[in-house]
Amino acid sequence: MSHPVAPATGSGRIRTPLPFPTAAKPAVADTQLRANLHRATRTIRAKRARVVDEVPDWEALRDAGSAIKADVQRRLPELLEQFEASATAAGATVHWARDAAEACRIVVALTRAAGADEVVKVKSMATQEIELNEALEAAGIAAYETDLAELIVQLGDDTPSHILVPAIHYNRAQIREIFQRRMADAPADLSDEPAALAEAARAHLRRRFLSARVAVSGANFAVADTGTLVVVESEGNGRMCLTLPETLISVVGVEKLLPTFTDLEVFLQLLPRSSTGERMNPYTSMWTGVTPGDGPQDVHIVLVDNGRSAVLADPVGRPALSCIRCSACLNVCPVYERAGGHAYGSVYPGPIGAILSPQLTGVADNASLPYASTLCGACYDVCPVKINIPEILVHLRQQAPHPPAERAAMRVLAWVMRSPRRWAAALRLARTGAGPLGAYRERRTGARTLRRLPWPASAWTRSRDLPLPAPQTFREWWGKQ
Amino acid sequence: MRIALFITCVNDLAFPATGIAVTRILRRLGHTVDFPADQTCCGQMHANTGYRAEAMPMVRNYVDVFDSYDAIVAPSGSCTAMIRDQYPRLHPPATSVAARTYELSELLVDVLGVTDVGAEFPETVTYHPTCHGLRMLRLGDRPLTLLRQVRGIKLVELADAEECCGFGGTFALKNPDVSTAMLTDKCARVRDTGARVLAAADNSCLAHIGGGLDRHRSGVRAVHYAEILAETGAAS
Ligand code: SF4
């Protein structure tokens, strides 16, 4: 069987309902949120820096990771068919989904066929992307998140705000409050000690694991030559989900492929150090189809496109598909740290979200995201697979619809600046035109800056003074020598 | 060696003192510098905001104006990064002139082999490495190496120095809230150092941070490090 023709764009939770600057506003004003994010990202990036520094061949590993992913992107159709053949031979059933709706339909049908009205979930970013929980609920099926942070977010009727730490925006007092309000079996005297919170969640989840007949998982890697799926995690909840239920449905983005089993050697070094700042993650689970008498006997893999083929078609933007969702770029991003994950409107926040979401949906649908960056480059430096995020941001800005007033101003400015004669005249004009203004303010306050300007310059003078043109430009000084 | 000055549009208009400083430093070291009058702008703002077509005539103008020089020096990390990093991709004939374009500290340390430029500046100074200088040009501590040789200077370390100040060209206008939040944190770190002068290699970032410092009446002056290197203690 071959996979169907892919659609141009993806759907699901990858669109910004509000432009980024608008969505960021409340987060920037929320001092508690900013303090939570500041503390959490600083702690984890310091940890990451420490363990990365221990690895003498880190740069070579990054190159290797980047090269393997580039190879996958070059031969994706071929590798996907190889994966399908290997997984099928091992007893799994492979399904193909063009978009979010199709993927949801497949999972709902499989769950119904298993006769279940609830599922346990783990490691499921792809299912967040396709909005599976909502689809299951609409079909009368309850979905229970089992990842501690995902559980917190689910109980709080919230959405994740970080790839790895979906509840990064909460502190422990807020988590305790959510548990007491929404977790029926939480101890009455629950404290906000991390150990107590984890224990309450563990007891709560244990009952779920033992009763669930269907589990839904994601995967970090899908190995083409063996048909193996790999889940890398810290809590052990994944291991429970992947082994206890009778039916296992894994929802996997098509970009998760690796050509061979030995390629894991590279990625199992890159991922934990970049994401949690650990040398090795506590649990790595791998499964290949069905093993009679051991683990789930009914294994399904849903391979999701949802816009990925469109990304693949663009040679400049394509490396975004190399992302291994480590979240290192989020943790170093000064914009993410102030705006929080929700401002990106997508299940993929931070720098990777700013390049991936607009590519999945088409840039016009997420036009503010490529501008949600200062192009400072910190994300590119930490990315374990060397995705040149600033370069892709600039590339996407090129395709974004531009506001008419901005376009007009940029064109005029470009027209002036491309001619040395016009530019010299404009400099004279700017200098003499601003001269009286500057002289006035200088007489009054002794400062050669402006404090309040009308729109659109007010965006600048709201928080900083604006320097005035100097009394003499450089070229005038040069000419007088 | 024929050294040309690329003074950049922002410096020409608003910060001529930086270009004058670069001229003085190089002349003091015995070099002849030229300022080709037909230069305008490197096109960075247009290219980075998504107006590549509009930027292209500026890119070509740069090549026309500077291609005959052995070295071109710009007192701006981000404009130098635009030329060195983006030009070869945007316009392949620019590859050679791009490779001969240096930020001031690169020209001094790597090309001319100088770290002591004979400056004197008795002030407490802290240094902010701007993003493009730090991560695209990999300037490393070249500017600091030059500043350390300045007589009378007291250099103090800036906490979280490598974190972006929130300027980002049009980012400051498109995302004013986030930009302001980043600026506020940067200004607080600068004030914590107790320095009276903040130095950096980019006047646009300095205009942003300096504008924030002025707004809060911090008393800290933001200057391009070239202006410190140009000071000799003698009345000029
Ligand atoms: S873009 Fe790179 S740093 Fe960011 S999450 Fe993906 S792999 Fe990690």
Side-chain angles (χ1 to χ4, degrees):
Chain A
M1 188 208 117
S2 70
H3 54 100
V5 179
T9 56
S11 53
R13 192 172 296 140
I14 44 178
R15 285 190 155 74
T16 47
L18 290 172
F20 184 83
T22 314
K25 216 184 234 306
V28 172
D30 182 342
T31 48
Q32 177 69 66
L33 172 69
R34 270 174 68 189
N36 294 352
L37 283 170
H38 180 82
R39 190 173 333 104
T41 55
R42 249 150 233 261
T43 308
I44 192 161
R45 77 198 195 205
K47 258 178 91 183
R48 177 210 157 266
R50 255 198 320 276
V51 298
V52 161
D53 278 348
E54 297 172 353
V55 184
D57 61 346
W58 183 253
E59 289 308 312
L61 274 172
R62 286 177 79 204
D63 285 331
S66 173
I68 293 168
K69 284 291 191 177
D71 176 44
V72 168
Q73 287 148 31
R74 261 191 305 272
R75 338 186 252 130
L76 191 58
E78 164 202 332
L79 289 172
L80 282 169
E81 289 184 13
Q82 191 189 1
F83 175 81
E84 179 182 35
S86 320
T88 308
T93 309
V94 175
H95 310 259
W96 300 88
R98 264 170 297 213
D99 58 15
E102 194 170 3
C104 288
R105 270 200 303 278
I106 294 170
V107 179
V108 167
L110 289 170
T111 309
R112 282 205 177 121
D117 59 4
E118 60 172 51
V119 302
V120 286
K121 287 181 64 203
V122 72
K123 270 280 164 182
S124 49
M125 273 203 97
T127 67
Q128 295 279 0
E129 173 187 324
I130 62 172
E131 299 182 304
L132 179 64
N133 287 10
E134 291 79 354
L136 288 170
E137 196 186 316
I141 300 164
Y144 298 110
E145 297 293 347
T146 69
D147 177 86
L148 176 54
E150 295 267 12
L151 172 69
I152 296 164
V153 166
Q154 188 178 40
L155 290 175
D157 287 323
D158 199 353
T159 51
S161 70
H162 188 277
I163 292 181
L164 186 81
V165 199
I168 196 169
H169 52 297
Y170 292 127
N171 63 22
R172 35 187 233 213
Q174 292 167 308
I175 294 168
R176 170 179 173 274
E177 190 273 323
I178 291 173
F179 278 9
Q180 290 222 301
R181 190 157 44 83
R182 294 296 303 278
M183 208 160 79
D185 48 1
D189 59 347
L190 183 63
S191 83
D192 67 1
E193 284 307 309
L197 294 171
E199 184 51 37
R202 210 168 82 94
H204 171 78
L205 289 172
R206 180 63 50 122
R207 282 184 279 280
R208 295 248 186 270
F209 289 132
L210 293 173
S211 67
R213 292 177 36 223
V214 176
V216 176
S217 89
N220 293 91
F221 306 104
V223 182
D225 70 345
T226 57
T228 305
L229 291 179
V230 184
V231 158
V232 173
E233 48 143 356
S234 300
E235 295 168 8
N237 55 334
R239 184 73 52 93
M240 306 281 266
C241 280
L242 298 169
T243 49
L244 291 176
E246 295 152 21
T247 300
L248 174 60
I249 308 167
S250 302
V251 181
V252 182
V254 290
E255 83 284 13
K256 298 274 168 168
L257 267 268
L258 294 181
T260 68
F261 195 81
T262 48
D263 295 324
L264 286 169
E265 172 211 359
V266 171
F267 292 94
L268 292 180
Q269 293 182 73
L270 288 174
L271 182 55
R273 286 184 199 254
S274 302
S275 64
T276 49
E278 294 167 304
R279 296 183 181 90
M280 194 33 142
N281 47 285
Y283 297 88
T284 301
S285 303
M286 308 192 186
W287 67 104
T288 310
V290 174
T291 306
D294 184 14
Q297 296 298 297
D298 193 17
V299 172
H300 297 269
I301 303 166
V302 185
L303 292 171
V304 182
D305 187 303
N306 205 34
R308 286 158 177 77
S309 292
V311 185
L312 192 67
D314 177 350
V316 181
R318 181 183 302 159
L321 295 179
S322 301
C323 175
I324 55 174
R325 312 277 187 261
C326 72
S327 72
C329 59
L330 278 62
N331 299 328
V332 295
C333 178
V335 174
Y336 175 87
E337 190 183 319
R338 271 81 185 183
H342 290 145
Y344 296 80
S346 160
V347 52
Y348 305 113
I352 180 61
I355 58 168
L356 187 59
S357 309
Q359 293 199 83
L360 290 174
T361 60
V363 182
D365 260 7
N366 266 317
S368 64
L369 289 183
Y371 292 95
S373 165
T374 63
L375 306 180
C376 82
C379 48
Y380 182 23
D381 267 13
V382 294
C383 178
V385 286
K386 284 198 163 174
I387 302 173
N388 189 338
I389 295 175
E391 185 188 349
I392 300 178
L393 286 166
V394 170
H395 171 70
L396 296 175
R397 291 177 182 187
Q398 191 62 33
Q399 300 159 23
H402 296 140
E406 178 193 284
R407 175 174 288 275
M410 288 294 224
R411 286 210 167 136
V412 171
L413 201 57
W415 179 79
V416 171
M417 284 177 149
R418 73 170 182 248
S419 145
R421 194 178 43 77
R422 285 195 291 265
W423 172 238
L427 284 180
R428 269 195 308 278
L429 192 70
R431 197 252 306 141
T432 50
L437 213 62
Y440 171 71
R441 179 154 161 75
E442 201 168 4
R443 239 190 352 264
R444 256 181 2 140
T445 65
R448 285 210 50 84
T449 57
L450 288 178
R451 193 142 284 183
R452 207 169 296 120
L453 283 171
W455 186 88
S458 56
W460 181 276
T461 53
R462 207 151 108 185
S463 56
R464 54 232 126 172
D465 292 2
L466 183 73
L468 279 160
Q472 134 177 295
T473 64
F474 178 83
R475 61 186 65 217
E476 286 168 332
W477 174 82
W478 183 270
K480 282 190 195 136
Q481 293 183 83
Chain B
M1 187 157 63
R2 298 187 65 217
I3 303 177
L5 301 170
F6 175 49
I7 293 307
T8 86
C9 60
V10 169
N11 284 329
D12 196 353
L13 178 65
F15 303 96
T18 300
I20 296 170
V22 174
T23 312
R24 291 211 172 115
I25 296 164
L26 292 172
R27 284 184 179 159
R28 203 162 69 217
L29 294 171
H31 298 282
T32 306
V33 289
D34 196 4
F35 174 77
D38 279 353
Q39 61 182 280
T40 63
C41 165
C42 67
Q44 179 186 198
M45 182 181 72
H46 284 89
N48 278 355
T49 312
Y51 295 84
R52 186 160 56 211
E54 286 79 0
M56 284 313 292
M58 295 179 234
V59 176
R60 282 191 286 267
N61 185 60
Y62 184 90
V63 179
D64 291 346
V65 171
F66 289 105
D67 215 10
S68 62
Y69 291 91
D70 302 318
I72 303 105
V73 62
S76 160
S78 70
C79 300
T80 309
M82 166 72 189
I83 295 160
R84 277 241 297 277
D85 184 64
Q86 294 201 47
Y87 273 25
R89 259 184 285 139
L90 294 172
H91 184 51
T95 307
S96 144
V97 67
R100 281 178 277 128
T101 302
Y102 304 97
E103 193 277 328
L104 176 66
S105 69
E106 295 175 312
L107 180 82
L108 292 171
V109 176
D110 301 351
V111 182
L112 304 176
V114 190
T115 53
D116 186 345
V117 298
E120 179 175 345
F121 190 74
E123 273 290 8
T124 314
V125 176
T126 194
Y127 178 76
H128 166 64
T130 56
C131 300
H132 287 180
L134 184 71
R135 283 179 280 262
M136 282 173 106
L137 294 179
R138 306 280 170 198
L139 290 184
D141 57 4
R142 287 179 187 82
L144 278 169
T145 305
L146 292 160
L147 287 171
R148 278 192 205 107
Q149 303 294 324
V150 173
R151 275 172 291 287
I153 201 169
K154 184 168 175 248
L155 282 170
V156 289
E157 208 171 307
L158 178 65
D160 300 327
E162 68 300 329
E163 188 170 303
C164 177
C165 68
F167 171 60
T170 46
F171 177 84
L173 301 174
K174 283 181 176 276
N175 286 283
D177 295 289
V178 178
S179 172
T180 298
M182 291 164 70
L183 173 64
T184 308
D185 291 347
K186 182 59 75 180
C187 288
R189 298 272 177 280
V190 171
R191 281 203 302 268
D192 288 348
T193 63
R196 309 222 323 149
V197 176
L198 166 75
D202 240 301
N203 274 323
S204 23
C205 307
L206 282 168
H208 169 76
I209 310 174
L213 291 168
D214 284 351
R215 178 62 50 94
H216 298 107
R217 299 187 170 78
S218 66
V220 184
R221 205 152 52 88
V223 301
H224 195 287
Y225 76 92
E227 293 170 45
I228 296 176
L229 298 182
E231 292 284 338
T232 55
S236 52

